[in-house]
Amino acid sequence: MVALIDLVQYSNEALEVDKFQDYAPNGLQVEGARDVELLVTGVTANLALLEAAVEVGAQAVMVHHGYFWKSEAAPVVGMKRNRLKVLLENNISLLAYHLPLDAHNVWGNNAQLAYRNDWIIRGRLGAGKTPLGFYGELSQSIGVLQFCQNVERTLGRSVQLIDSGVHSEVKRLAWCSGAAQSYIEDAASLGVDLFLSGEISEQTVHIAKEMGIHYVAAGHHATERYGVSCFGEHLTEKFKIRHQFIDIDCPV
Ligand SMILES: [Zn+2]
């Protein structure tokens, strides 16, 4: 068991929240029970995840996509009211880490994508003081279709390939989880063969073809499952608490 205050303080420091200018508050978003014995992690704090957390008897939920986004309406009504009601009535805390859980060198979504897919990290992709993505390479060149099949096996879902029509082999690549398709031009300027992110926009297709870089949309949810779950595992070792990652499937 760990005191909530210690869990939050440790997580904030470990994930270096002070380094980020984010779109939502990082750290404790909703306060629940004073002590945490079972932590549930998940990608998004949607109602289904909260209900699953109640079912297993969790005292805290940690997610990548929490609440109180800059663009959202403030009133606690409708969907927002229903979600907060489940948390408050069941005395469950909500901790959310957005960009810190993309960027972290070990527990970040992008570091975990590299680890799980055997991609060799060579440097950072992205602007500013705290770039989120990486570039790197495969241990050997493979065909782009084989690359996609390997990713599909790792992530357990199909991916969408936009073939640049230029090289059929992939060796150098860049990646950034979630909705980072706009980084494709930064990736192309690094001279990599392929860029992978979660989502795709209409314009991504044209950029890929005209800049001669393959694009792979591997799923926003699918590319952001591993950061929070592996940080949850780390917390079980650190604080001797129980942890359960609950995957509420999302096709996007
Ligand atoms: Zn995301």
Side-chain angles (χ1 to χ4, degrees), residues 27-170:
L28 184 62
Q29 293 194 334
V30 179
E31 185 179 354
R34 225 171 75 163
D35 296 310
V36 177
E37 201 274 318
L38 173 59
L39 172 71
V40 158
T41 58
V43 177
T44 300
N46 57 9
L47 194 60
L49 180 71
L50 303 183
E51 285 169 346
V54 172
E55 190 76 18
V56 298
Q59 294 79 40
V61 171
M62 182 182 288
V63 293
H64 183 50
H65 301 138
Y67 301 155
F68 315 120
W69 299 88
K70 270 180 191 165
S71 55
E72 83 181 33
V76 180
V77 297
M79 185 180 87
K80 184 186 253 183
R81 175 253 189 199
N82 294 341
R83 290 171 166 188
L84 290 171
K85 185 168 184 272
V86 172
L87 287 169
L88 294 170
E89 277 187 353
N90 292 283
N91 214 16
I92 297 175
S93 297
L94 177 68
L95 288 78
Y97 295 96
H98 182 231
L99 299 183
L101 260 182
D102 288 315
H104 195 275
N105 272 326
V106 178
W107 303 304
N109 289 318
N110 291 314
Q112 285 296 314
L113 280 176
Y115 172 69
R116 285 159 202 261
N117 286 286
D118 287 325
W119 302 335
I120 302 156
I121 292 174
R122 294 290 184 221
R124 283 285 185 176
L125 172 79
K129 271 190 288 183
T130 47
L132 305 176
F134 289 106
Y135 66 88
E137 59 190 31
L138 309 177
S139 56
Q140 58 182 47
S141 296
I142 56 171
V144 67
L145 293 179
Q146 182 65 56
F147 174 85
C148 289
Q149 283 168 15
N150 293 351
V151 173
E152 287 177 341
R153 201 176 320 115
T154 305
L155 298 186
R157 58 157 281 159
S158 58
V159 304
Q160 185 174 9
L161 167 69
I162 305 303
D163 192 314
S164 71
V166 180
H167 351 255
S168 59
E169 296 273 297
V170 177

